[in-house]
């Protein structure tokens, strides 16, 4: 499905001068597309957040934290799928796998096999990529239901955990076709070790689709390159919520540089939003 010309437009504000740009293909375009190699892996993540910084609120129906429906929308979802289309591997969390098993997950793993994203699967083929990115699940608890359908999907499946995992647990996972990577001591996964382990498996573009806890591990280790942040122009409030980062404070703070800023006016009844892209600053302060 493609939008008509008017609706497919966003307004690129930075770098200037302001010019219209198509939404479809925005994050596959040369300047914004992730370009990692196993020798120089590139780690990125995308989030949609409200103006007051919420990335998830409590869903009263399931009592779990979910991205708020007031800010999730098909245009941001399209860009999320484009970023997954560029990925060699998606990095997700134990929490996501448990929600998926309970039927509470927001959606299945990208790239979603629906007609509106068929062009992305075609794009992958054209790039000589595997039909779908591999999946790496990061967990400390190893409480990790892995659906049979995912094991049969043809995607390489990894569990990444600390070195506390014992031999019998490794064997049980391997007997189901899952590859186990140890990337930290005890139960924790360290960001740098995670990226190094995935690079050794031959992955260059690493799309982190988990949340604030894993992002903290990556950023704290200097193992994170680019943030694609959609800012929905809405304020949500709420007492219980998640933001981009969870856990210990970053000392010193980590700086980012603006690479791109596009305004999406929310025509046709959608929410207005800013599509921002930030690269981790390479300059040492
Ligand atoms: N709005 C958005 O764009 C957006 C995007 C992503 C996520 N979210 C929301 O953010 C919230 C948190 O997401 P999330 O739970 O997927 O991600 P998370 O906070 O990064 O990770 C939570 C789980 O991942 C595992 N984990 C993370 N870092 C680890 C480490 N260093 N070592 C070992 N295990 C680690 C743990 O699994 P175990 O418990 O199995 O040990 C942990 O429970 C959710 O509500 C989600 O919906 C929103």
């Amino acid at each position: 499905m493609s939008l008509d010309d008017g609706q497919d437009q966003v307004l690129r504000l930075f770098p200037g001068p302001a010019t219209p740009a198509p939404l479809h293909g925005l994050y596959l375009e040369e300047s914004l597309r992730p370009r990692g190699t196993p020798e120089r892996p590139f780690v990125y993540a995308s989030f949609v957040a409200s103006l007051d910084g919420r990335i998830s609120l409590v869903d009263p129906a399931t009592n779990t934290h979910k991205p708020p429906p007031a800010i999730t929308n098909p245009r941001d979802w399209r860009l999320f799928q484009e970023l997954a289309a560029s990925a060699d591997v998606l990095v997700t969390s134990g929490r996501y796998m448990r929600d998926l098993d309970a039927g509470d997950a927001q959606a299945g793993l990208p790239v979603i096999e629906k007609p509106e994203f068929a062009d992305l699967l075609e794009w992958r083929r054209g790039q000589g990529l595997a039909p779908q990115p591999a999946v790496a699940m990061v967990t400390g608890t190893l409480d990790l239901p892995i659906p049979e359908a995912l094991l049969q999907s043809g995607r390489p499946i990894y569990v990444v955990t600390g070195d506390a995992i014992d031999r019998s647990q490794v064997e049980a996972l391997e007997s189901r076709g899952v590859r186990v990577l140890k990337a930290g001591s005890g139960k924790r996964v360290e960001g740098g070790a995670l990226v190094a382990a995935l690079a050794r498996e031959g992955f260059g573009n690493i799309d982190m689709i988990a949340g604030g806890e894993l992002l903290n591990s990556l950023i704290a280790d200097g193992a994170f390159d680019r943030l694609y942040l959609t800012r929905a122009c809405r304020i949500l409030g709420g007492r219980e919520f998640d933001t981009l980062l969870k856990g210990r404070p970053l000392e010193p703070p980590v700086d980012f540089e603006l690479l791109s800023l596009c305004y999406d006016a929310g025509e046709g009844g959608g929410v207005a939003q800013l599509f921002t892209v930030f690269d981790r600053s390479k300059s040492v302060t």
Side-chain angles (χ1 to χ4, degrees):
M1 185 187 68
S2 68
L3 299 167
D4 66 39
D5 278 358
Q7 284 194 342
D8 195 35
Q9 301 283 301
V10 297
L11 185 63
R12 188 190 298 282
L13 299 171
F14 183 86
T19 37
L23 174 83
H24 278 66
L26 190 68
Y27 287 169
L28 294 178
E29 187 212 289
E30 209 69 7
S31 64
L32 296 184
R33 188 172 128 195
R35 306 294 281 256
T37 61
E39 293 70 39
R40 293 195 68 168
F42 192 84
V43 184
Y44 59 99
S46 70
F47 289 89
V48 57
S50 61
L51 285 182
D52 49 340
R54 275 71 174 141
I55 66 160
S56 65
L57 289 171
V58 177
D59 170 18
T62 59
N63 216 22
T64 58
H65 285 213
K66 285 230 182 83
I71 59 168
T72 54
N73 66 87
R75 294 166 76 81
D76 173 68
W77 192 235
R78 163 75 199 187
L79 297 181
F80 176 76
Q81 301 294 325
E82 287 190 3
L83 292 171
S86 280
D88 296 313
V89 61
L90 306 172
V91 181
T92 187
S93 67
R95 190 277 316 161
Y96 171 79
M97 296 313 298
R98 293 190 287 277
D99 281 4
L100 189 67
D101 184 58
D104 289 339
Q106 184 199 11
L109 288 160
V111 178
I112 301 277
E113 298 191 7
K114 284 192 175 163
E116 59 265 41
F117 304 124
D119 63 309
L120 298 179
L121 297 171
E122 187 54 45
W123 182 85
R124 284 184 69 86
R125 270 192 291 279
Q127 298 289 316
L129 298 171
Q132 286 278 13
V135 178
M137 304 154 191
V138 174
T139 179
T141 61
L142 288 166
D143 172 10
L144 203 66
I146 307 177
E148 205 47 42
L150 182 58
L151 295 172
Q152 302 304 325
S153 67
R155 300 188 194 220
I157 307 294
Y158 292 84
V159 165
V160 191
T161 189
D163 62 11
I165 188 169
D166 66 34
R167 181 91 233 124
S168 65
Q169 291 170 308
V170 172
E171 282 167 5
L173 285 162
E174 286 178 347
S175 71
R176 301 183 69 202
V178 175
R179 302 169 210 190
V180 177
L181 303 176
K182 295 183 200 170
S185 53
K187 293 190 168 192
R188 297 297 296 169
V189 168
E190 285 144 28
L194 166 66
V195 174
L198 293 173
R200 277 194 299 275
E201 294 299 304
F203 301 126
N205 276 343
I206 300 175
D207 185 4
M208 201 293 292
I209 60 169
E213 193 179 329
L214 191 54
L215 187 62
N216 196 328
S217 302
L218 289 164
I219 292 186
D221 258 8
F224 184 75
D225 299 289
R226 182 175 293 170
L227 175 65
Y228 296 85
L229 176 61
T230 297
R231 232 40 220 263
C233 300
R234 273 190 177 151
I235 294 185
L236 299 179
R239 286 204 171 80
E240 241 191 276
F241 54 85
D242 290 299
T243 64
L244 274 192
L245 217 67
K246 211 163 154 176
R248 64 196 153 115
L250 298 172
E251 297 285 357
V254 176
D255 291 336
F256 285 78
E257 289 165 8
L258 183 65
L259 180 66
S260 167
L261 167 64
C262 292
Y263 180 62
D264 180 24
E267 274 160 29
V271 60
Q273 52 199 342
L274 293 162
F275 297 129
T276 62
V277 185
F278 297 94
D279 275 345
R280 185 171 50 91
S281 177
K282 300 283 188 290
S283 55
V284 179
T285 49

